Amino acid sequence: EVNLLESGGGLVQPGGSLRLSCVASGFTFRNYAMSWVRQAPGKGLEWVSTMTGTSGSTYYADSAKGRFSISRDNFKNTLFLQMDSLRAEDTAVYYCAKGLEGYGSGGIIFGHWGHGTRLTVSA
Amino acid sequence: EIVMTQSPDTLSVSPGEGATLSCRASQSVSTSLAWYQVKPGQAPRLLIYAASTRALGVPARISASGSGTDFTLTISSLQSEDFALYYCQQYSDWPPLTFGGGTKVEIK
């Protein structure tokens, strides 16, 4: 059974930094693209970033470029999101999501999701 | 960037009735479209991908269709567990991957 467990959320002041983690189990982690998707209070889903499995290519939403960095440890089956220069508008629940398939467009269909970790950016 | 627009914002339906949700893309996404269900406090769930393929475990009362720019998610005979938020997502042209604004299906 696929399981994704996010952690690392919390309360951060504007301009601060935080690193989110997502521990994965139940599948061959290194073979799948992994993504972060967020949902701000009262808002819809917003894609943040994706990292492919084997090649490690990274992709970012404009809102994350230059401030966020996605990475993964394929030995520890863990996905990370380093977030710097945080703003109030980054306040959201951050979900870790696994690609439906290990190749092609299947990597950016979010087949499994975690329950999310909440980030609040406030003074 | 492909903009996804969902309608209506809210759909009030009685249990046992059907519901039709719409999703429109600002340009053609072919059939590179997915639908997700989101409930408060729960992990989002993939329902549909490739515009009309049900994900594993999704009941047959949930179906979807469309291609190009116009897509539909249909839930026949709504059950209590179907009252939720629904989002469409295109994966045809990215980055960015984009979601619609969501449709809330609520109990009438």
Side-chain angles (χ1 to χ4, degrees):
Chain A
E1 180 188 359
V2 172
N3 194 37
L4 301 170
L5 184 62
E6 303 96 334
S7 63
L11 175 62
V12 180
Q13 292 189 337
S17 297
L18 205 66
R19 188 175 82 157
L20 305 183
S21 300
C22 170
V23 177
S25 61
F27 63 102
T28 305
F29 181 74
R30 64 180 180 273
N31 289 347
Y32 288 84
M34 297 294 296
S35 301
W36 291 97
V37 178
R38 69 185 181 183
Q39 186 170 27
K43 304 290 187 182
L45 297 174
E46 179 189 14
W47 171 74
V48 176
S49 183
T50 294
M51 188 170 191
T52 60
T54 47
S55 67
S57 299
T58 58
Y59 305 88
Y60 298 93
D62 284 348
S63 58
K65 273 180 196 170
R67 301 188 302 126
F68 294 2
S69 178
I70 191 172
S71 61
R72 60 194 294 162
D73 184 333
N74 288 338
F75 294 102
K76 295 184 177 179
N77 292 351
T78 304
L79 179 73
F80 302 101
L81 185 68
Q82 176 67 41
M83 302 183 292
D84 300 321
S85 303
L86 284 163
R87 307 165 179 163
E89 53 265 37
D90 296 318
T91 295
V93 174
Y94 284 74
Y95 296 102
C96 167
K98 167 190 169 290
L100 178 65
E101 296 166 342
Y103 54 91
S105 61
I108 46 173
I109 301 167
F110 306 125
H112 291 87
W113 301 62
H115 282 77
T117 186
R118 186 176 301 274
L119 167 67
T120 301
V121 183
S122 174
Chain B
E1 172 178 331
I2 297 178
V3 177
M4 307 301 292
T5 303
Q6 290 185 243
S7 60
D9 292 337
T10 303
L11 200 53
S12 298
V13 186
S14 299
E17 291 185 342
T20 300
L21 289 64
S22 295
C23 173
R24 175 165 288 177
S26 60
Q27 64 190 73
S28 176
V29 299
S30 185
T31 56
S32 297
L33 185 102
W35 290 92
Y36 301 89
Q37 179 190 66
V38 180
K39 296 180 181 179
Q42 295 188 21
R45 177 191 184 193
L46 172 68
L47 298 176
I48 300 286
Y49 61 96
S52 61
T53 302
R54 272 189 293 273
L56 199 64
V58 174
R61 67 177 183 274
I62 296 176
S63 63
S65 63
S67 66
T69 60
D70 291 301
F71 301 87
T72 298
L73 179 74
T74 301
I75 309 173
S76 63
S77 187
L78 267 102
Q79 307 296 303
S80 57
E81 60 265 31
D82 299 327
F83 292 97
L85 278 158
Y86 292 84
Y87 293 91
C88 61
Q89 175 228 338
Q90 70 81 21
Y91 51 93
S92 172
D93 184 17
W94 75 291
L97 295 166
T98 49
F99 291 89
T103 291
K104 181 180 181 181
V105 178
E106 65 177 22
I107 300 175
K108 186 175 183 180

